[in-house]
Amino acid sequence: MPMAPPSSLLISCFLILTITTHLTPSHALFLTLVNNCKYTVWPGIQPNAGHPVLAGGGFVLNPFTHLSIPVPDTHWSGRVWARTGCTYAAGNRFTCASGDCGGRLQCAGAGGSAPATLAQFDMHHGNADFSSYSVSLVDGFNVPMTVTPHEGKGVCPVVGCRSDLLATCPPVLHHRVPAVHGPVVACKSGCEAFHSDELCCRNHFNNAQTCKPSVYSTFFKHACPATFTFAHDTPSLTHECSSPRELKVIFCH
C-alpha cells in the first residue's frame, strides 16, 4: 500500500493550485496594434472616463512591428489612433504632425487632435463577454486602419478603412504641416474644416433627424463604407463580438 504524502506536500500543492487559479484570468483578451505602414507611427490610447490607461497611453511602433497589450479582465472602453510625423522639438517637447496628444509621447489619458482615424472599443460587457468595436472618420483621417477580431463568436467582421485617403482628399479638407505649403498629413472632416453647427451636428443639428450626411462625410463613406463618417451615422456599424481572444488594430492594412 503506497504511503500517503506528507501533509506539508499537500499544503504546498494546494497553495500552488490556488495561486495559479487566482492569477489566470477567466478570459484573456489582448489588444494588438500592428504597424504595416512603411513609416513609423506613434499609437495613442485613450480610455473613457473611469477606465485605466493602457501602455501609458502611447508609444512608438516602427514599420512592420506590433505590440500586444493585455486588456483588463473587466469592462474597458476607449479609443486608439495613430500619430504621424512625430519629433522632439526645442526644449525636448514631443510633437506630432497628426494626432498629437498635448506634446507628449505617452498620452496618459489625453485624446489626440483632429484630424485622425479612430478605432473605438467597448470590451467585456454583458453576460456573453461582448466586445464592441468600430472605426470612425467623424474626426477626419490620417492613416488607413482596420480592426480584426480573432476567435470570437457571433458578429465579428473586419471593419475600417484600407484606402489611403490622403491622395484623394479634397483640397478644402487638406491638413498640411507646416500650414499652407507643407505636405498633406491628414484629411479634415467637414466639421474641422468649416466649424459650422450643421457639419458638426451641434445645437439644433444634434439629433438623428437633423444631423445628416454632407458632401464631405459622403466622400469618406464612399471610400470606406465600413466606418462612421458623421455623428449620427448608422448605429449598426458597431459590432458585438462574443469572447474574442484578440482585437487587432492594423495601421495600413
mmCIF file of all heavy atoms in Angstrom, residues 9 16 21 23 76 101 110 127 131 140-141 151 157 171-172 181-182 189 195 203 208 223 228-229 234 238 242 244:
data_model
loop_
_atom_site.group_PDB
_atom_site.id
_atom_site.type_symbol
_atom_site.label_atom_id
_atom_site.label_comp_id
_atom_site.label_asym_id
_atom_site.label_seq_id
_atom_site.Cartn_x
_atom_site.Cartn_y
_atom_site.Cartn_z
ATOM 1 N N LEU A 9 3.509 18.570 1.892
ATOM 2 C CA LEU A 9 3.470 18.497 0.433
ATOM 3 C C LEU A 9 2.072 18.789 -0.067
ATOM 4 O O LEU A 9 1.875 19.495 -1.058
ATOM 5 C CB LEU A 9 3.937 17.117 -0.041
ATOM 6 C CG LEU A 9 3.930 16.882 -1.557
ATOM 7 C CD1 LEU A 9 4.839 17.898 -2.252
ATOM 8 C CD2 LEU A 9 4.385 15.464 -1.882
ATOM 9 N N ILE A 16 -0.049 26.186 -4.547
ATOM 10 C CA ILE A 16 0.333 26.415 -5.950
ATOM 11 C C ILE A 16 -0.903 26.454 -6.829
ATOM 12 O O ILE A 16 -1.058 27.323 -7.699
ATOM 13 C CB ILE A 16 1.310 25.324 -6.432
ATOM 14 C CG1 ILE A 16 2.656 25.491 -5.713
ATOM 15 C CG2 ILE A 16 1.503 25.400 -7.944
ATOM 16 C CD1 ILE A 16 3.612 24.339 -5.964
ATOM 17 N N THR A 21 -4.636 29.469 -10.087
ATOM 18 C CA THR A 21 -6.036 29.735 -10.446
ATOM 19 C C THR A 21 -6.349 31.210 -10.295
ATOM 20 O O THR A 21 -7.021 31.820 -11.125
ATOM 21 C CB THR A 21 -6.982 28.908 -9.558
ATOM 22 O OG1 THR A 21 -6.659 27.533 -9.726
ATOM 23 C CG2 THR A 21 -8.429 29.158 -9.949
ATOM 24 N N LEU A 23 -4.240 33.761 -10.496
ATOM 25 C CA LEU A 23 -3.517 34.609 -11.438
ATOM 26 C C LEU A 23 -3.974 34.424 -12.874
ATOM 27 O O LEU A 23 -3.729 35.269 -13.713
ATOM 28 C CB LEU A 23 -2.015 34.321 -11.349
ATOM 29 C CG LEU A 23 -1.326 34.731 -10.041
ATOM 30 C CD1 LEU A 23 0.141 34.347 -10.090
ATOM 31 C CD2 LEU A 23 -1.475 36.226 -9.792
ATOM 32 N N TRP A 76 -13.722 47.523 -20.129
ATOM 33 C CA TRP A 76 -12.819 48.600 -20.537
ATOM 34 C C TRP A 76 -13.321 49.181 -21.846
ATOM 35 O O TRP A 76 -13.725 48.455 -22.760
ATOM 36 C CB TRP A 76 -11.385 48.096 -20.744
ATOM 37 C CG TRP A 76 -10.415 49.213 -21.005
ATOM 38 C CD1 TRP A 76 -9.739 49.929 -20.070
ATOM 39 C CD2 TRP A 76 -10.047 49.765 -22.272
ATOM 40 N NE1 TRP A 76 -8.962 50.895 -20.675
ATOM 41 C CE2 TRP A 76 -9.127 50.828 -22.034
ATOM 42 C CE3 TRP A 76 -10.397 49.484 -23.596
ATOM 43 C CZ2 TRP A 76 -8.562 51.587 -23.053
ATOM 44 C CZ3 TRP A 76 -9.842 50.238 -24.622
ATOM 45 C CH2 TRP A 76 -8.940 51.283 -24.345
ATOM 46 N N CYS A 101 -1.159 64.507 -28.902
ATOM 47 C CA CYS A 101 -1.945 64.460 -27.657
ATOM 48 C C CYS A 101 -1.340 65.368 -26.591
ATOM 49 O O CYS A 101 -1.077 64.953 -25.468
ATOM 50 C CB CYS A 101 -2.080 63.033 -27.132
ATOM 51 S SG CYS A 101 -0.522 62.226 -26.675
ATOM 52 N N ALA A 110 -4.916 61.548 -22.257
ATOM 53 C CA ALA A 110 -5.314 62.648 -23.140
ATOM 54 C C ALA A 110 -5.708 62.120 -24.509
ATOM 55 O O ALA A 110 -5.218 61.080 -24.963
ATOM 56 C CB ALA A 110 -4.173 63.653 -23.280
ATOM 57 N N ASN A 127 -23.626 39.547 -20.484
ATOM 58 C CA ASN A 127 -23.488 38.181 -19.999
ATOM 59 C C ASN A 127 -22.640 37.295 -20.909
ATOM 60 O O ASN A 127 -22.132 36.269 -20.480
ATOM 61 C CB ASN A 127 -24.874 37.554 -19.828
ATOM 62 C CG ASN A 127 -25.692 38.261 -18.763
ATOM 63 O OD1 ASN A 127 -25.125 38.771 -17.793
ATOM 64 N ND2 ASN A 127 -26.997 38.321 -18.944
ATOM 65 N N SER A 131 -17.439 42.171 -26.977
ATOM 66 C CA SER A 131 -16.545 43.272 -27.291
ATOM 67 C C SER A 131 -17.119 44.002 -28.498
ATOM 68 O O SER A 131 -17.298 43.413 -29.561
ATOM 69 C CB SER A 131 -15.140 42.767 -27.605
ATOM 70 O OG SER A 131 -14.502 42.296 -26.448
ATOM 71 N N GLY A 140 -12.139 62.962 -39.080
ATOM 72 C CA GLY A 140 -11.203 63.013 -40.181
ATOM 73 C C GLY A 140 -10.362 61.753 -40.297
ATOM 74 O O GLY A 140 -10.627 60.732 -39.651
ATOM 75 N N PHE A 141 -9.317 61.828 -41.107
ATOM 76 C CA PHE A 141 -8.495 60.668 -41.472
ATOM 77 C C PHE A 141 -7.028 61.061 -41.471
ATOM 78 O O PHE A 141 -6.652 62.149 -41.921
ATOM 79 C CB PHE A 141 -8.897 60.188 -42.872
ATOM 80 C CG PHE A 141 -7.978 59.160 -43.473
ATOM 81 C CD1 PHE A 141 -8.278 57.810 -43.375
ATOM 82 C CD2 PHE A 141 -6.817 59.538 -44.147
ATOM 83 C CE1 PHE A 141 -7.428 56.856 -43.931
ATOM 84 C CE2 PHE A 141 -5.966 58.597 -44.703
ATOM 85 C CZ PHE A 141 -6.276 57.247 -44.592
ATOM 86 N N GLU A 151 -10.932 34.666 -33.091
ATOM 87 C CA GLU A 151 -11.526 33.611 -32.280
ATOM 88 C C GLU A 151 -12.819 34.018 -31.592
ATOM 89 O O GLU A 151 -13.239 33.372 -30.649
ATOM 90 C CB GLU A 151 -10.526 33.097 -31.227
ATOM 91 C CG GLU A 151 -9.267 32.508 -31.819
ATOM 92 C CD GLU A 151 -8.353 31.908 -30.756
ATOM 93 O OE1 GLU A 151 -8.868 31.383 -29.746
ATOM 94 O OE2 GLU A 151 -7.125 31.987 -30.932
ATOM 95 N N PRO A 157 -17.054 40.963 -37.837
ATOM 96 C CA PRO A 157 -16.422 41.289 -39.122
ATOM 97 C C PRO A 157 -15.162 42.132 -38.942
ATOM 98 O O PRO A 157 -14.923 42.726 -37.885
ATOM 99 C CB PRO A 157 -17.509 42.107 -39.829
ATOM 100 C CG PRO A 157 -18.208 42.790 -38.698
ATOM 101 C CD PRO A 157 -18.228 41.791 -37.564
ATOM 102 N N PRO A 171 -9.130 69.252 -51.733
ATOM 103 C CA PRO A 171 -8.236 70.323 -51.271
ATOM 104 C C PRO A 171 -8.769 71.127 -50.089
ATOM 105 O O PRO A 171 -7.994 71.542 -49.224
ATOM 106 C CB PRO A 171 -8.071 71.199 -52.517
ATOM 107 C CG PRO A 171 -8.235 70.239 -53.659
ATOM 108 C CD PRO A 171 -9.291 69.266 -53.204
ATOM 109 N N VAL A 172 -10.088 71.343 -50.014
ATOM 110 C CA VAL A 172 -10.646 72.127 -48.901
ATOM 111 C C VAL A 172 -10.515 71.398 -47.569
ATOM 112 O O VAL A 172 -10.660 72.007 -46.512
ATOM 113 C CB VAL A 172 -12.129 72.488 -49.149
ATOM 114 C CG1 VAL A 172 -12.262 73.443 -50.326
ATOM 115 C CG2 VAL A 172 -12.980 71.238 -49.352
ATOM 116 N N HIS A 181 1.828 75.416 -47.102
ATOM 117 C CA HIS A 181 2.714 74.888 -48.134
ATOM 118 C C HIS A 181 3.329 73.534 -47.791
ATOM 119 O O HIS A 181 4.062 72.966 -48.607
ATOM 120 C CB HIS A 181 3.834 75.900 -48.427
ATOM 121 C CG HIS A 181 3.342 77.222 -48.917
ATOM 122 N ND1 HIS A 181 2.627 77.363 -50.092
ATOM 123 C CD2 HIS A 181 3.432 78.468 -48.376
ATOM 124 C CE1 HIS A 181 2.310 78.638 -50.268
ATOM 125 N NE2 HIS A 181 2.782 79.330 -49.245
ATOM 126 N N GLY A 182 3.056 73.011 -46.601
ATOM 127 C CA GLY A 182 3.615 71.725 -46.214
ATOM 128 C C GLY A 182 2.880 70.569 -46.871
ATOM 129 O O GLY A 182 1.860 70.755 -47.554
ATOM 130 N N SER A 189 -12.314 66.524 -41.432
ATOM 131 C CA SER A 189 -13.754 66.367 -41.602
ATOM 132 C C SER A 189 -14.335 67.717 -42.017
ATOM 133 O O SER A 189 -13.675 68.763 -41.890
ATOM 134 C CB SER A 189 -14.395 65.929 -40.283
ATOM 135 O OG SER A 189 -14.258 66.962 -39.306
ATOM 136 N N HIS A 195 -16.304 74.304 -39.221
ATOM 137 C CA HIS A 195 -16.777 74.626 -37.860
ATOM 138 C C HIS A 195 -18.234 75.098 -37.805
ATOM 139 O O HIS A 195 -18.597 75.873 -36.916
ATOM 140 C CB HIS A 195 -15.877 75.687 -37.213
ATOM 141 C CG HIS A 195 -14.432 75.305 -37.189
ATOM 142 N ND1 HIS A 195 -13.927 74.345 -36.347
ATOM 143 C CD2 HIS A 195 -13.382 75.749 -37.943
ATOM 144 C CE1 HIS A 195 -12.626 74.220 -36.561
ATOM 145 N NE2 HIS A 195 -12.277 75.042 -37.527
ATOM 146 N N ASN A 203 -25.927 71.796 -31.488
ATOM 147 C CA ASN A 203 -27.115 72.606 -31.200
ATOM 148 C C ASN A 203 -28.353 72.037 -31.905
ATOM 149 O O ASN A 203 -28.697 70.885 -31.702
ATOM 150 C CB ASN A 203 -26.849 74.071 -31.569
ATOM 151 C CG ASN A 203 -25.692 74.648 -30.755
ATOM 152 O OD1 ASN A 203 -25.547 74.333 -29.585
ATOM 153 N ND2 ASN A 203 -24.860 75.479 -31.376
ATOM 154 N N ALA A 208 -30.747 62.756 -34.560
ATOM 155 C CA ALA A 208 -30.753 61.908 -35.754
ATOM 156 C C ALA A 208 -31.605 62.480 -36.878
ATOM 157 O O ALA A 208 -31.399 62.150 -38.053
ATOM 158 C CB ALA A 208 -31.247 60.508 -35.385
ATOM 159 N N ALA A 223 -15.463 56.021 -49.885
ATOM 160 C CA ALA A 223 -14.143 55.394 -49.867
ATOM 161 C C ALA A 223 -14.068 54.261 -48.850
ATOM 162 O O ALA A 223 -13.409 53.246 -49.092
ATOM 163 C CB ALA A 223 -13.070 56.436 -49.566
ATOM 164 N N PHE A 228 -17.823 54.918 -39.430
ATOM 165 C CA PHE A 228 -18.693 56.048 -39.108
ATOM 166 C C PHE A 228 -18.117 57.295 -39.769
ATOM 167 O O PHE A 228 -16.908 57.534 -39.710
ATOM 168 C CB PHE A 228 -18.748 56.273 -37.590
ATOM 169 C CG PHE A 228 -19.585 55.282 -36.854
ATOM 170 C CD1 PHE A 228 -19.004 54.177 -36.247
ATOM 171 C CD2 PHE A 228 -20.958 55.449 -36.741
ATOM 172 C CE1 PHE A 228 -19.774 53.261 -35.553
ATOM 173 C CE2 PHE A 228 -21.741 54.540 -36.053
ATOM 174 C CZ PHE A 228 -21.151 53.443 -35.459
ATOM 175 N N THR A 229 -18.984 58.119 -40.381
ATOM 176 C CA THR A 229 -18.486 59.309 -41.068
ATOM 177 C C THR A 229 -19.146 60.605 -40.605
ATOM 178 O O THR A 229 -18.700 61.685 -40.987
ATOM 179 C CB THR A 229 -18.672 59.171 -42.592
ATOM 180 O OG1 THR A 229 -20.059 58.970 -42.885
ATOM 181 C CG2 THR A 229 -17.857 57.992 -43.130
ATOM 182 N N THR A 234 -25.062 55.327 -39.147
ATOM 183 C CA THR A 234 -25.767 54.078 -38.879
ATOM 184 C C THR A 234 -25.274 53.378 -37.618
ATOM 185 O O THR A 234 -24.109 52.969 -37.552
ATOM 186 C CB THR A 234 -25.596 53.114 -40.074
ATOM 187 O OG1 THR A 234 -25.903 53.812 -41.266
ATOM 188 C CG2 THR A 234 -26.516 51.912 -39.940
ATOM 189 N N THR A 238 -21.489 49.500 -35.286
ATOM 190 C CA THR A 238 -20.822 48.990 -34.094
ATOM 191 C C THR A 238 -21.168 47.522 -33.950
ATOM 192 O O THR A 238 -22.341 47.164 -33.896
ATOM 193 C CB THR A 238 -21.268 49.754 -32.834
ATOM 194 O OG1 THR A 238 -20.869 51.122 -32.963
ATOM 195 C CG2 THR A 238 -20.624 49.171 -31.588
ATOM 196 N N SER A 242 -18.585 38.117 -29.470
ATOM 197 C CA SER A 242 -18.567 37.416 -28.187
ATOM 198 C C SER A 242 -17.255 36.672 -27.979
ATOM 199 O O SER A 242 -16.845 35.860 -28.801
ATOM 200 C CB SER A 242 -19.739 36.431 -28.117
ATOM 201 O OG SER A 242 -19.716 35.714 -26.899
ATOM 202 N N PRO A 244 -13.863 37.280 -28.030
ATOM 203 C CA PRO A 244 -12.660 37.201 -28.864
ATOM 204 C C PRO A 244 -11.421 37.066 -27.981
ATOM 205 O O PRO A 244 -11.403 37.508 -26.832
ATOM 206 C CB PRO A 244 -12.657 38.544 -29.599
ATOM 207 C CG PRO A 244 -13.356 39.474 -28.669
ATOM 208 C CD PRO A 244 -14.408 38.644 -27.990
#
